Amino acid sequence: MKNILFVVFISMIFLFVCCNTTTNKNIIETEISDFVKILDSFQVNGSILIYDNDKNTFYSNDFDWAKNGKLPASTFKIPNSIIAVELGIIENDTTILKWNGEQRKMDIWEKDLSFKDAFRISCVPCYQEIARKIGTIKMKEYLEKFEYKNMIFDSLTIDNFWLEGNSKISQKQQIDFLRKFYFSKFPISDRTIKIVKNIMEIERTENYILSGKTGLSSIEEKYNGWFVGYVETKSNVYFFATNVIPTDGLNVDDFISSRINVTKNALKQMNIMK
């Protein structure tokens, strides 16, 4: 009897490994050279990465770039928000984050903000306070559950590790995280998912819903920009992660707007956004 159970156990492991191997092999990577033209038109270098969920296919102009890690910057506001809502630190999207009256880097941050508005205008001080309330133990616990790897922080850097330091995330990892969140693969409540999806929504039309978050880091005046998220259409969902750097001579304001514009142009070129 023990021998039979052992054989069954080994067979199950073999099937599990085979199934996972097959799944990985079935992922297709297709190079889209026209994405380079879009990047060039906005005077940026980098990679546009789009994932078609139905076709299990990645599209990009530069897969090597898409596999290299960078600071997550404000894209980390997505997992930060999920954890805060799940722990009850933030009640809902209308929760008011009080301004303490201190001067902030941007004027639009110098007022009381709803949680949704703080996410939308990327209020860094708001989310630094949220991270401090979460604390290092819970932050590490949830990031491990999310398989949100390579975040390096302690009690001294809990409120800025996504903006500076050695934390890294790649475009492919961004999309993997977003897919698991979107399809409710994390051990969190449906209520949390609904609230965070709501604050992530950017644009809604008859043909699609665009959701996401930008990010911007600057190390020694070297900028790196993100735009990550997903587009829901009537028949499919597409995930994206764009990471770019400015070319010489591009001013900061144009670079900041390029993150979304580059991505939208690529999504329109692929007839995802119509």
Side-chain angles (χ1 to χ4, degrees):
M1 182 65 177
K2 289 183 178 179
N3 289 337
I4 294 173
L5 290 173
F6 178 77
V7 171
V8 171
F9 177 72
I10 294 297
S11 299
M12 289 176 68
I13 292 176
F14 177 77
L15 286 170
F16 176 80
V17 171
C18 287
C19 287
N20 278 276
T21 302
T22 302
T23 300
N24 291 333
K25 284 183 177 179
N26 285 341
I27 294 176
I28 302 168
E29 293 184 353
T30 301
E31 185 174 337
I32 306 293
S33 58
D34 282 348
F35 285 177
V36 177
K37 297 177 183 177
I38 295 173
L39 294 166
D40 288 346
S41 69
F42 286 94
Q43 295 180 267
V44 295
N45 294 321
S47 170
I48 302 166
L49 184 67
I50 297 173
Y51 177 77
D52 183 324
N53 190 69
D54 280 358
K55 294 182 178 179
N56 199 23
T57 299
F58 281 99
Y59 302 93
S60 181
N61 60 290
D62 192 336
F63 283 102
D64 288 335
W65 189 300
K67 293 171 185 176
N68 286 328
K70 289 91 178 174
L71 278 167
S74 283
T75 66
F76 189 76
K77 285 184 173 68
I78 301 174
N80 209 354
S81 296
I82 295 170
I83 299 167
V85 175
E86 187 69 8
L87 290 176
I89 293 168
I90 297 295
E91 178 61 26
N92 52 49
D93 60 349
T94 62
T95 296
I96 299 299
L97 306 180
K98 292 285 187 179
W99 175 42
N100 60 10
E102 293 181 357
Q103 185 176 0
R104 290 174 169 175
K105 188 175 180 180
M106 298 181 68
D107 292 343
I108 57 173
W109 297 345
E110 293 181 347
K111 59 182 177 180
D112 294 346
L113 293 166
S114 70
F115 182 50
K116 185 172 185 177
D117 284 341
F119 182 90
R120 181 178 57 83
I121 65 175
S122 208
C123 178
V124 172
C126 299
Y127 273 84
Q128 288 182 309
E129 179 62 24
I130 288 171
R132 289 192 287 267
K133 288 181 179 179
I134 292 172
T136 55
I137 294 175
K138 285 296 182 181
M139 186 72 81
K140 289 179 179 179
E141 177 186 324
Y142 274 90
L143 292 182
E144 185 175 340
K145 291 178 181 179
F146 300 163
E147 296 184 0
Y148 201 100
K149 301 177 181 179
N150 302 318
M151 296 297 107
I152 301 169
F153 59 91
D154 54 25
S155 59
L156 298 177
T157 57
I158 184 64
D159 61 359
N160 68 357
F161 66 88
W162 61 90
L163 297 170
E164 56 187 72
N166 297 315
S167 296
K168 305 290 181 185
I169 189 168
S170 71
Q171 289 165 261
K172 280 207 164 185
Q173 289 170 325
Q174 292 268 26
I175 286 179
D176 185 52
F177 166 75
L178 288 168
R179 287 172 63 199
K180 290 175 181 175
F181 165 70
Y182 183 86
F183 290 112
S184 305
K185 300 298 183 182
F186 294 143
I188 56 176
S189 69
D190 290 340
R191 180 179 180 276
T192 294
I193 294 171
K194 182 178 179 180
I195 290 171
V196 176
K197 282 185 176 180
N198 180 49
I199 67 172
M200 286 179 66
E201 186 176 317
I202 296 171
E203 183 179 339
R204 179 184 288 259
T205 73
E206 292 182 358
N207 298 315
Y208 65 83
I209 303 171
L210 172 67
S211 301
K213 184 71 191 75
T214 55
L216 180 70
S217 62
S218 175
I219 306 299
E220 297 179 351
E221 297 186 356
K222 293 182 179 179
Y223 289 97
N224 185 278
W226 285 101
F227 185 36
V228 306
Y230 50 86
V231 179
E232 299 166 277
T233 66
K234 295 176 181 178
S235 59
N236 197 3
V237 58
Y238 302 85
F239 298 85
F240 61 83
T242 295
N243 183 265
V244 291
I245 59 174
T247 57
D248 292 339
L250 182 65
N251 67 60
V252 177
D253 290 339
D254 287 341
F255 176 64
I256 287 172
S257 63
S258 74
R259 301 167 297 173
I260 293 178
N261 291 332
V262 159
T263 308
K264 281 188 170 183
N265 272 263
L267 291 166
K268 289 175 182 177
Q269 186 181 82
M270 294 189 68
N271 293 317
I272 295 170
M273 288 175 52
K274 300 177 183 179

